[in-house]
Amino acid sequence: MSATYRDVKADILDKITRGTWAPGSLVPSEVDLAETYGCARATVNRAMRELVEDGIIERRRKAGTRVRMAPVRQARFAIPIVRKEIEDQGAAYRYALVSRAVATAPDWLRARLNLAGGGQVLHLTCMHYADGIPYQFEDRWINLAVLPQAREADFAQTGPNEWLVAEIPFSDAEISFLAVSADAGLAAHLGCAPGDALFQTERITWWQGAANTFVRLTYRRGHRMTARY
Amino acid sequence: MSATYRDVKADILDKITRGTWAPGSLVPSEVDLAETYGCARATVNRAMRELVEDGIIERRRKAGTRVRMAPVRQARFAIPIVRKEIEDQGAAYRYALVSRAVATAPDWLRARLNLAGGGQVLHLTCMHYADGIPYQFEDRWINLAVLPQAREADFAQTGPNEWLVAEIPFSDAEISFLAVSADAGLAAHLGCAPGDALFQTERITWWQGAANTFVRLTYRRGHRMTARY
DNA sequence: CAGTGGTCTAGACCACTGA
DNA sequence: CAGTGGTCTAGACCACTGT
């Protein structure tokens, strides 16, 4: 008697993975399941909500709950701060500012960030090292219309990433993963040969509707990003 | 009076993003918040649980709830079936089996999948096209000890991905994203030049503790994977 | 040991939506 | 319009863990 929501979730998941409840089939209603497991409906409801969250089942009022035909396989990636990423690997972290310039946003950036014409941006390039070895090259553009205080910030000691996290702790973002061929500059910074295939991420973040930064992070040769799901 | 859990969540999130409640600061207890919002504690609790899930706050019994110092930025990626991915772009999908062979698992694969010596695997290579243009090259290894029925399956018409989803709808997986340089084979299949940088994913899936498949998916030049969070 | 979150309950009302 | 999920409530007990 008296199952917990974890018990209920585990049992239902088991029935689904073992095929007792096939993809597309109808799952008993919450009331029935509550009786089956001898618990309150709220308990069943919580188990079911988590299964929806996990992409295992689909629910619709009146129509009931069904096992998904094609499970939505989804992975969650933690987007780490570079320093933490490196330190978690047990390596020593070092940061270096490569260049810094205030400029008018180039056309491609205005299009990406949906900026008005003539917008001023702060363009930074930096390097992140793990145990002295190049780890990541950072190419960052900060919208000075949204973050005028960036103009006065000192990025010689602290990377723009950590500065931004302190300045704007929570924001919306869009991230892309892709592969690029190393040009001469990247090759020099990351200690690889021109033409080498490198893993790159691009990220745009917004705060209260306005884009505040665009960043392109290029990792050293051989880097991979891993997740479990 | 009588706020919903969405109201409560939105209001708390607003207080955090606007800086009213700074990173690291203590959030009022559930009992207090319930009184503030004029709702039941369970309602506040649900809002708070979702904020934990979103990586915004941390909670510990007795110690209370705090705004996270470094927000855990996390992105969720839907791992699509290639066919769906292509069709959702409005393109026509075509599949072709390139090769098929039963073999003893090579050492690197045995290590990756934690297989016993002498294990038999089915090695398949396939192509996926969008509007007739090469889209993705699939290099798949299926553990015949776990999935003996793969030996008899016809992969000429249906890709191994869809076959596997039907056979083992739900499983655990580990996925990696990386960049590779196209070798002669990949270049020929994907219609690019040798040496081009290509985006690649590797995935291992387990079912009931045993690895059943390893797959390496290489995308055509210029492919990028995008998510919002 | 006291305060906080974690969970369960029994009941209620509501919001959809398929038949 | 009836059945299903979605949510809220008031109260209860429990499980941690800081002081």
Side-chain angles (χ1 to χ4, degrees):
Chain A
M1 269 302 166
S2 176
T4 69
Y5 82 92
R6 289 169 191 280
D7 297 335
V8 174
K9 183 181 176 183
D11 191 70
I12 292 175
L13 196 52
D14 189 67
K15 282 196 168 59
I16 292 174
T17 55
R18 290 184 188 280
T20 309
W21 291 346
S25 66
L26 199 59
V27 171
S29 76
E30 293 191 351
V31 179
D32 292 352
L33 288 171
E35 191 171 359
T36 302
Y37 293 110
C39 66
R41 181 164 80 96
T43 303
V44 174
N45 182 267
R46 176 152 181 201
M48 301 292 262
R49 272 193 291 113
E50 292 200 358
L51 289 169
V52 169
E53 180 84 0
D54 295 345
I56 308 294
I57 60 175
E58 284 176 313
R59 323 191 74 190
R60 263 163 40 234
R61 283 163 162 147
K62 167 74 182 181
T65 300
R66 288 181 181 281
V67 180
R68 287 190 82 114
M69 291 299 285
V72 176
R73 295 174 180 283
Q74 50 189 4
R76 272 176 104 118
F77 288 85
I79 314 293
I81 305 262
V82 200
R83 182 171 57 75
K84 283 219 68 166
E85 188 177 354
I86 290 173
E87 287 173 353
D88 287 352
Q89 292 168 18
Y93 171 70
R94 186 162 68 80
Y95 159 81
L97 179 62
V98 175
S99 73
R100 174 198 173 114
V102 174
T104 301
D107 289 344
W108 64 268
L109 186 63
R110 296 221 328 270
R112 285 300 266 287
L113 300 190
N114 201 23
L115 299 183
Q120 293 288 291
V121 292
L122 178 64
H123 182 203
L124 302 164
T125 59
C126 335
M127 276 299 303
H128 303 273
Y129 300 89
D131 280 342
I133 299 165
Y135 184 85
Q136 183 191 81
F137 176 74
E138 174 173 355
D139 184 7
R140 184 177 292 272
W141 303 75
I142 297 174
N143 181 358
L144 289 171
V146 175
L147 287 165
Q149 64 270 44
R151 208 186 280 265
E152 315 302 334
D154 173 24
F155 294 108
Q157 304 306 318
T158 309
N161 199 341
E162 300 188 48
W163 182 84
L164 279 161
V165 167
E167 209 67 23
I168 300 186
F170 302 94
S171 53
D172 295 320
E174 179 181 289
I175 188 167
S176 293
F177 298 155
L178 59 155
V180 294
S181 204
D183 60 20
L186 282 175
H189 282 117
L190 293 168
C192 65
D196 277 357
L198 302 176
F199 182 72
Q200 192 175 72
T201 73
E202 289 185 355
R203 189 159 73 236
I204 303 176
T205 61
W206 289 269
W207 186 61
Q208 301 187 344
N212 57 63
T213 173
F214 170 81
V215 62
R216 185 179 279 138
L217 303 173
T218 310
Y219 287 82
R220 65 184 176 196
R221 205 167 142 240
H223 182 85
R224 55 168 66 204
M225 210 175 149
T226 301
R228 287 178 157 278
Y229 63 93
Chain B
M1 271 300 163
S2 174
T4 68
Y5 82 93
R6 288 170 191 278
D7 296 336
V8 175
K9 182 180 177 184
D11 191 69
I12 293 174
L13 194 54
D14 189 67
K15 282 196 169 57
I16 293 173
T17 56
R18 289 183 188 280
T20 310
W21 290 347
S25 65
L26 199 60
V27 171
S29 77
E30 292 191 350
V31 179
D32 292 351
L33 288 171
E35 192 172 357
T36 302
Y37 293 111
C39 65
R41 181 164 79 97
T43 303
V44 174
N45 182 266
R46 175 151 180 202
M48 302 292 263
R49 272 193 290 112
E50 292 200 358
L51 289 168
V52 169
E53 179 84 2
D54 295 344
I56 308 294
I57 59 175
E58 285 176 312
R59 324 191 73 189
R60 263 165 36 238
R61 284 161 162 145
K62 167 74 182 178
T65 300
R66 287 182 181 280
V67 180
R68 288 191 81 113
M69 290 299 283
V72 176
R73 296 175 180 283
Q74 48 189 5
R76 271 178 105 115
F77 289 84
I79 314 292
I81 306 260
V82 200
R83 182 170 57 74
K84 283 218 67 163
E85 189 177 353
I86 289 173
E87 287 173 353
D88 287 352
Q89 291 169 17
Y93 171 70
R94 187 162 68 80
Y95 160 80
L97 179 62
V98 175
S99 74
R100 175 198 173 114
V102 173
T104 301
D107 288 345
W108 64 268
L109 186 64
R110 295 222 326 273
R112 285 300 266 288
L113 300 190
N114 202 21
L115 300 183
Q120 293 287 291
V121 292
L122 178 62
H123 181 205
L124 302 164
T125 59
C126 335
M127 277 298 303
H128 303 274
Y129 300 88
D131 280 341
I133 300 165
Y135 184 85
Q136 184 191 79
F137 177 75
E138 175 172 356
D139 185 8
R140 184 177 291 272
W141 303 74
I142 297 174
N143 182 356
L144 289 171
V146 175
L147 286 164
Q149 64 270 44
R151 207 185 281 266
E152 315 302 334
D154 172 24
F155 293 107
Q157 304 305 320
T158 309
N161 199 341
E162 299 188 48
W163 182 84
L164 279 160
V165 167
E167 209 67 24
I168 300 186
F170 302 93
S171 52
D172 294 320
E174 180 181 288
I175 188 167
S176 294
F177 297 155
L178 60 153
V180 295
S181 205
D183 60 19
L186 282 176
H189 281 117
L190 292 169
C192 65
D196 277 357
L198 302 176
F199 182 71
Q200 192 175 71
T201 73
E202 288 185 357
R203 189 160 71 236
I204 303 175
T205 61
W206 289 270
W207 187 60
Q208 300 186 344
N212 57 64
T213 173
F214 170 81
V215 62
R216 185 180 278 140
L217 302 173
T218 311
Y219 286 83
R220 64 183 177 196
R221 204 169 142 239
H223 183 85
R224 56 168 64 203
M225 210 175 147
T226 301
R228 289 179 157 277
Y229 64 94

